[in-house]
């Protein structure tokens, strides 16, 4: 998920150095020179202690070890170089694991809010905000997602900046971070495209031919979470009237994710919607 764990090359190098210099294999670090296990002399190289240079404590060895080979921003956790700031398996300290619906942010495990694009499609006749909310609820329930969900849709009276809970961080259903907070979400661009459905599967093509977008989503909403026109007569029009259109977003975009150049698609198109956990 975060790429914050990597093997520590020093872990195997330490053992190799011990075997090469002393020939007696790994010691138990008890400080008894008769066994070849961690005597305090610096010219034998034997002992498998932690190499911190302190020979006054049992098992520390002779201090010949070069120490961790991890980059300065990483920490050695049992031979792996990890980022304690963002690694959910070592969050803030080695072995501190975050829960199933949490991510590691700034060394703390925090609860996430899921966001997804629906696997189902609909024309502009969504049944208004209430109908779209039901679509989100059904999708979330089918994937056993926690919490309640609201559609990223707008009418003149209701829009995300007005009725959303506005608490992040927001992540896709594969736990990739979309935005660290509400402010991060509505600042004009997001960190990752919202192109995973409720089950975590990649979104299938949903073309908006009027906008030349292969992965389009009904929104009627600006990147800042406010109402923009048109919106398929407030999401109760199926395109039976030729002039009716709705603003769409680009599910593969990070700057045009909600309003792709303010492009509007005819309301007869079969497109998904975004759903955000509240």
């Amino acid at each position: 998920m975060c790429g914050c764990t990597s093997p520590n090359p020093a872990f195997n190098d330490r053992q190799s150095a011990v075997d090469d210099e002393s020939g007696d294999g790994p010691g138990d670090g008890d400080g008894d020179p008769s066994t070849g296990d961690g005597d305090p002399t610096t010219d034998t190289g034997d002992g498998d202690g932690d190499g911190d240079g302190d020979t006054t404590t049992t098992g520390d060895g002779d201090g010949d070890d070069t120490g961790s080979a991890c980059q300065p921003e990483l920490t050695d956790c049992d031979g792996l170089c990890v980022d304690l700031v963002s690694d959910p398996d070592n969050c803030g300290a080695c072995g501190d694991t975050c829960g199933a619906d949490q991510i590691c942010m700034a060394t703390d495990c925090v609860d996430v809010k899921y966001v997804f694009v629906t696997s189902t499609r609909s024309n502009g006749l969504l049944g208004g905000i209430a109908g779209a909310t039901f679509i989100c609820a059904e999708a979330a329930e089918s994937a056993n997602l926690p919490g309640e969900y609201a559609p990223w849709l707008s009418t003149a009276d209701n829009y995300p900046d007005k009725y959303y809970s506005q608490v992040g961080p927001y992540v896709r259903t594969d736990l990739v971070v979309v935005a660290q907070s509400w402010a991060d979400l509505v600042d004009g661009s997001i960190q990752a495209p919202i192109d995973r459905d409720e089950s975590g599967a990649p979104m299938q093509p949903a073309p908006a031919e009027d906008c030349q977008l292969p992965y389009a989503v009904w929104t009627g909403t600006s990147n800042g979470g406010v109402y923009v026109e048109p919106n398929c007569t407030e999401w109760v029009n199926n395109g039976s009237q030729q002039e009716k259109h709705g603003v769409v977003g680009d599910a593969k975009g990070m700057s045009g994710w909600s309003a792709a150049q303010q492009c509007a698609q005819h309301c007869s198109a079969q497109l998904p919607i975004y759903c955000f956990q509240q």
Side-chain angles (χ1 to χ4, degrees), residues 210 237-246 264-268:
D210 295 347
N237 192 293
N238 62 5
S240 58
Q241 295 175 286
Q242 187 63 31
E243 72 277 8
K244 294 301 181 182
H245 290 73
Q265 170 64 34
H266 190 256
C267 297
S268 60

Side-chain angles (χ1 to χ4, degrees), residues 186-253:
V186 298
D187 66 359
S189 64
I190 54 179
Q191 296 182 30
I194 306 172
D195 60 357
R196 294 293 188 274
D197 69 17
E198 60 272 13
S199 68
M203 175 187 177
Q204 297 302 304
E209 295 180 358
D210 295 347
C211 301
Q212 297 183 337
L213 287 176
Y215 295 89
V217 183
W218 293 124
T219 67
T221 308
S222 73
N223 283 12
V226 298
Y227 168 65
V228 293
E229 293 182 325
N231 64 356
C232 295
T233 320
E234 302 205 329
W235 310 113
V236 294
N237 192 293
N238 62 5
S240 58
Q241 295 175 286
Q242 187 63 31
E243 72 277 8
K244 294 301 181 182
H245 290 73
V247 169
V248 296
D250 179 9
K252 292 293 185 178

Side-chain angles (χ1 to χ4, degrees), residues 30-129:
D30 62 5
D32 181 358
S34 66
T35 61
D37 295 341
D39 66 57
T41 63
T42 59
D43 60 352
T44 61
D46 49 7
D48 64 352
D50 59 16
D52 63 5
D54 180 3
T55 60
T56 62
T57 55
T58 300
D60 272 359
D62 61 12
D64 289 343
D65 199 298
T66 57
S68 174
C70 296
Q71 295 296 319
E73 68 274 13
L74 302 180
T75 300
D76 186 334
C77 290
D78 292 330
L80 293 177
C81 295
V82 303
D83 185 352
L84 299 182
V85 174
S86 59
D87 188 344
D89 295 321
N90 302 277
C91 189
C94 294
D96 285 2
T97 305
C98 296
D101 298 315
Q102 293 183 320
I103 60 172
C104 184
M105 290 181 59
T107 71
D108 289 324
C109 291
V110 296
D111 295 333
V112 301
K113 294 298 179 67
Y114 289 110
V115 53
F116 60 87
V117 60
T118 56
S119 59
T120 57
R121 310 286 196 264
S122 174
N123 57 33
L125 182 58
L126 293 166
I129 299 295

